Amino acid sequence: MMSTESPANLATPVTTRGGRARFPAVLTAVAAGLVLVLGVMAVLAVAPKPEQTVLVQFSDPTGRVILEYCPTLPGSFEAEARTADLSGTSRTIPVRVTADTCGNPQFERGIWLYLQRSGITLGVADR
């Protein structure tokens, strides 16, 4: 059976608020995304850095590695040390010095020196 309604009535579009209802949902999703990104950035800013700048001072640089690999290592220099190593209790502490500080251009990315805690003074630099 065919409908007795006029063709104009069959083609009448159904009006919904779908277009307007999606806008608040999209706006909420974007706002939630921004809050998440800002939250992650805040946590990263407060979290301890994996390495910190330290000031190392010692009076008698001894040891084969220091004398062979870093011939011009001064008695006081700036280095990088891992936060966990700084708070640790091991007898040695690894610190990374630059090639310039070490006096050896072979070490473009620096070199890790393992220094005896008992023979050095460490100071954490504020940066």
Side-chain angles (χ1 to χ4, degrees), residues 105-119:
Q106 278 184 309
F107 305 114
E108 294 173 4
R109 291 192 227 161
I111 183 173
W112 286 96
L113 300 176
Y114 293 81
L115 305 175
Q116 295 292 325
R117 280 186 192 265
S118 61

Side-chain angles (χ1 to χ4, degrees), residues 26 28 45 63 71 73 91 102 122:
V26 170
T28 301
L73 188 68
R91 290 177 152 185
C102 179
L122 283 176

Side-chain angles (χ1 to χ4, degrees), residues 2-122:
M2 296 198 59
S3 175
T4 57
E5 293 185 42
S6 72
N9 287 343
L10 290 176
T12 305
V14 178
T15 57
T16 62
R17 296 180 55 211
R20 282 184 246 141
R22 283 188 218 150
F23 181 71
V26 170
L27 188 60
T28 301
V30 169
L34 278 172
V35 167
L36 180 66
V37 167
L38 291 174
V40 168
M41 289 174 62
V43 167
L44 291 176
V46 174
K49 298 172 185 154
E51 291 181 6
Q52 288 183 300
T53 302
V54 294
L55 301 173
V56 180
Q57 184 174 5
F58 56 95
S59 58
D60 186 21
T62 59
R64 192 188 110 238
V65 173
I66 294 173
L67 296 176
E68 286 182 24
Y69 294 106
C70 297
T72 62
L73 188 68
S76 179
F77 57 90
E78 197 172 88
E80 296 288 319
R82 294 182 188 107
T83 305
D85 291 329
L86 289 172
S87 61
T89 58
S90 66
R91 290 177 152 185
T92 60
I93 182 165
V95 296
R96 182 174 55 191
V97 297
T98 63
D100 290 339
T101 302
C102 179
N104 192 338
Q106 278 184 309
F107 305 114
E108 294 173 4
R109 291 192 227 161
I111 183 173
W112 286 96
L113 300 176
Y114 293 81
L115 305 175
Q116 295 292 325
R117 280 186 192 265
S118 61
I120 63 170
T121 302
L122 283 176

